[in-house]
Amino acid sequence: MYSASIFLNDLCNYKCIYCYRHIGKGEIEKNKVFDILAHLKRMNFSKISFAGGEPTLVSWNVFDVIEYAKKLGFTTELITNGTNKINFDYLDIVTIDIDSLNENMNEKLGKTKKHFIRSEKIIEEALEKGIKVKINTVVSRINVEDIEEIAYWIKTKKIYRWKVFQYLPSIGIAKINKNKLAISKKEFHEKIEKIKEIIMDWDGQFIYEDNDYMSGGYASIDPKGHFYVSIYKDGEYNTIDIGDVLDYNIEKFLSNKYINKEVFLKRSKINYMYFNSEKN
């Protein structure tokens, strides 16, 4: 179940200090998104995530392209901070960032103090409508001690997937704040082991990814309509453009030297197994 993430714009009403949005690339044209979706379908992709920036801040109606994606047969996901009204029609998954339950920490991270409270309301609304909810968490130097509290909270919710990332300083604001936020791979995995103990009896799907695993393992599309990846070179991570989506077929994508084919296919298999087990 090949999955792609389309980062529609570089505009956001939050100022998250770990953000990797593509500042300076503006927003993708609505018609180009339609073209990309049709092309991804031909490439045998079957799950699409719409992200940003904040995707609900595009100048056109983001829910039009979500409807189109659903009619093409895609599993659809919206990754949002929840500050704007969400149209749940044609959505299969809503994803919210939860990096702390603490108001002051959320403000320190560049969100609003009420981010967690608002997120809980969105989660409940989505679940009431039969929409799956996914939580993304970025582990950095300044919120590392908040992660176990999130784990205890997760256990009380019908979240289908909790995805925990090591902070990745590959582009934009995230790269600027590297010295302030960087956490080692060892520290990240130590925290993961503590989380596993807390949620061992939770029936949701727990996924965690360090920087090495993330690099090259995603089909990510920037606001220009280009595939991009993060690579590690000369002691640092950088985001690089690998070309217009419309110039690719699936064989060319999987054989690109910057794509980690093994990780990409592993992620695809996880999605396939989960969604097909539901059908059965």
Side-chain angles (χ1 to χ4, degrees):
M1 189 174 184
Y2 299 158
S3 175
S5 299
I6 306 178
F7 292 80
L8 301 173
N9 60 347
D10 66 357
L11 180 65
C12 190
N13 50 359
Y14 275 7
K15 297 180 180 178
C16 297
I17 59 177
Y18 59 79
C19 184
Y20 51 84
R21 59 192 166 99
H22 297 259
I23 296 173
K25 292 187 179 180
E27 70 174 32
I28 192 168
E29 293 181 1
K30 186 177 183 179
N31 286 338
K32 184 157 189 176
V33 183
F34 288 143
D35 292 342
I36 288 172
L37 289 170
H39 189 72
L40 290 172
K41 192 65 179 177
R42 291 191 290 271
M43 289 176 69
N44 290 325
F45 280 82
S46 52
K47 178 176 176 286
I48 301 292
S49 300
F50 296 94
E54 169 51 42
T56 62
L57 292 177
V58 289
S59 60
W60 37 268
N61 189 346
V62 67
F63 300 103
D64 288 345
V65 299
I66 292 173
E67 178 181 354
Y68 181 71
K70 192 62 187 171
K71 289 180 177 178
L72 285 176
F74 286 108
T75 295
T76 56
E77 175 182 5
L78 178 68
I79 303 174
T80 177
N81 62 28
T83 53
N84 290 322
K85 185 174 175 57
I86 299 172
N87 180 353
F88 292 96
D89 296 341
Y90 307 106
L91 273 175
D92 296 294
I93 305 162
V94 171
T95 297
I96 301 280
D97 288 346
I98 302 288
D99 303 307
S100 176
L101 309 190
N102 181 274
E103 288 186 348
N104 292 329
M105 178 56 72
N106 277 315
E107 189 173 48
K108 191 174 181 180
L109 289 166
K111 305 178 188 296
T112 65
K113 279 193 172 186
K114 301 301 181 184
H115 173 74
F116 175 66
I117 293 173
R118 183 190 304 115
S119 297
E120 281 208 299
K121 290 179 180 177
I122 293 167
I123 289 167
E124 294 307 318
E125 185 179 0
L127 292 174
E128 286 174 7
K129 294 179 180 295
I131 309 297
K132 297 185 188 309
V133 175
K134 186 177 86 174
I135 301 298
N136 284 343
T137 299
V138 175
V139 182
S140 69
R141 169 65 51 209
I142 67 172
N143 74 322
V144 64
E145 299 305 324
D146 291 48
I147 306 304
E148 285 149 278
E149 186 180 17
I150 299 174
Y152 284 111
W153 171 79
I154 284 280
K155 288 179 64 174
T156 70
K157 300 295 179 182
K158 294 185 181 298
I159 306 299
Y160 104 91
R161 177 181 289 176
W162 183 25
K163 204 164 190 178
V164 180
F165 303 93
Q166 180 187 4
Y167 156 74
L168 177 63
S170 62
I171 190 174
I173 298 167
K175 199 171 185 69
I176 291 170
N177 288 322
K178 177 181 177 180
N179 292 338
K180 181 178 181 180
L181 300 177
I183 185 169
S184 71
K185 184 175 179 178
K186 179 176 181 292
E187 290 172 298
F188 175 74
H189 283 283
E190 286 175 350
K191 185 59 64 174
I192 291 299
E193 291 307 310
K194 292 180 180 179
I195 292 172
K196 286 180 179 178
E197 292 178 11
I198 295 169
I199 65 169
M200 60 186 306
D201 56 346
W202 178 58
D203 61 1
Q205 190 179 67
F206 179 52
I207 296 178
Y208 52 93
E209 297 182 356
D210 60 37
N211 291 345
D212 293 335
Y213 190 88
M214 279 188 278
S215 299
Y218 283 83
S220 298
I221 301 167
D222 71 12
K224 296 194 301 181
H226 287 203
F227 281 125
Y228 73 90
V229 295
S230 296
I231 63 167
Y232 186 76
K233 185 178 181 181
D234 299 328
E236 66 177 5
Y237 287 93
N238 284 293
T239 294
I240 62 167
D241 183 320
I242 61 171
D244 194 313
V245 173
L246 301 181
D247 292 335
Y248 276 83
N249 56 35
I250 192 62
E251 291 79 16
K252 181 180 177 180
F253 175 79
L254 292 175
S255 63
N256 185 283
K257 66 179 181 178
Y258 294 114
I259 295 297
N260 187 328
K261 181 178 178 180
E262 180 182 355
V263 171
F264 177 79
L265 293 178
K266 183 178 179 180
R267 292 179 61 251
S268 301
K269 185 177 181 180
I270 290 170
N271 281 327
Y272 176 82
M273 291 175 67
Y274 176 84
F275 285 99
N276 278 271
S277 66
E278 276 214 324
K279 292 176 183 178
N280 297 328

